[in-house]
Amino acid sequence: YCGKVFAEAVPALASMPVSDPKYQTNSFLIVPVFARMEGLGGSQRPIGTLCVTDKRNGQPFDENDEELLSVFASQVGVALQNARLFEKATVDTLTKLFTRQFFFARLEEEVASAHQQNAPLCAIMGDLDHFHDINKHGHHVGDVVLSSSAAVFRQRILMTGGLSGRYGGEEFVAMMPGVSLARGQKIAEEVRAKLEALSLVLDGKKIPVTISL
């Protein structure tokens, strides 16, 4: 049912019980969630659906419920679109790390907060070793190494509640509010060891990955 609503971009309202081998309900309502398409005159396309089923009071859904859920779905669509636009503006497409501009804007805020609270803030700069040699295997190989390495870096920094960004071509940067220098050094060593243990075989060749932090 959701697939049909998504494909046809038209709400589905069932006020009577539905008995289907895959879906049984006394009443359900499904509405499409729309987002505006960029570069096509602001036209809309469905990006998902919202489905509600079986009211707690046992009453069937009606046209008033459909109108209310459609209004809610439009707000969901706007929120998702805004989130998508925010991500496009602040997240590097290849590495999924924050862009340099966004990262350093946030870093200024966190440094000011650390000074105010007299709290530690640790920063890490990472540079993949011999990346130009890796690129000699082909830029597609370099892209895989960058994205794989960035994923390891980002996931470990996220565990601290910190933020990571792409500083340059093969350079990563991170900030970890509340993290001391000693702990930061241990985290950097963990990242270094995990990247060294990364087993990447591309185009039949094993690509060693190391990083200086």
Side-chain angles (χ1 to χ4, degrees), residues 13-205:
L13 172 63
S15 299
M16 301 292 290
V18 174
S19 183
D20 185 286
K22 296 181 180 179
Y23 188 48
Q24 294 186 1
T25 175
N26 291 322
S27 176
F28 72 81
L29 170 61
I30 308 172
V31 299
V33 177
F34 292 99
R36 292 193 180 279
M37 298 182 67
E38 298 174 27
L40 293 176
S43 60
Q44 293 188 324
R45 65 176 177 84
I47 58 170
T49 62
L50 283 179
C51 176
V52 290
T53 182
D54 294 322
K55 281 188 178 182
R56 288 181 178 178
N57 62 11
Q59 296 298 311
F61 291 99
D62 56 27
E63 288 77 8
N64 291 330
D65 296 315
E66 181 180 329
E67 181 179 356
L68 179 63
L69 192 62
S70 295
V71 170
F72 181 67
S74 69
Q75 297 301 314
V76 170
V78 169
L80 290 174
Q81 184 75 352
N82 288 342
R84 179 171 171 270
L85 292 173
F86 177 78
E87 180 174 333
K88 286 184 66 176
T90 60
V91 176
D92 177 66
T93 305
L94 176 62
T95 62
K96 305 305 179 185
L97 301 174
F98 284 110
T99 61
R100 176 173 174 166
Q101 182 179 8
F102 179 79
F103 177 87
F104 280 101
R106 283 294 311 276
L107 180 60
E108 284 187 17
E109 297 173 0
E110 292 296 340
V111 168
S113 176
H115 278 304
Q116 186 176 11
Q117 300 177 27
N118 195 28
L121 185 148
C122 187
I124 296 177
M125 174 73 79
D127 189 354
L128 292 178
D129 300 324
H130 313 297
F131 190 71
H132 292 297
D133 293 337
I134 292 174
N135 262 340
K136 290 179 182 178
H137 297 287
H139 285 287
H140 67 289
V141 173
D143 286 349
V144 172
V145 170
L146 273 174
S147 59
S148 301
S149 302
V152 172
F153 188 78
R154 183 180 68 251
Q155 289 166 8
R156 183 60 188 91
I157 300 303
L158 274 175
M159 292 171 63
T160 71
L163 205 68
S164 53
R166 186 177 183 182
Y167 184 80
E170 66 272 17
E171 297 168 322
F172 308 146
V173 64
M175 62 171 168
M176 299 174 290
V179 172
S180 67
L181 176 61
R183 185 177 170 219
Q185 288 173 327
K186 290 181 180 179
I187 291 169
E189 172 58 20
E190 289 176 24
V191 171
R192 188 204 62 75
K194 285 185 178 181
L195 282 184
E196 189 174 307
L198 202 60
S199 180
L200 290 178
V201 179
L202 302 168
D203 295 343
K205 301 174 183 177

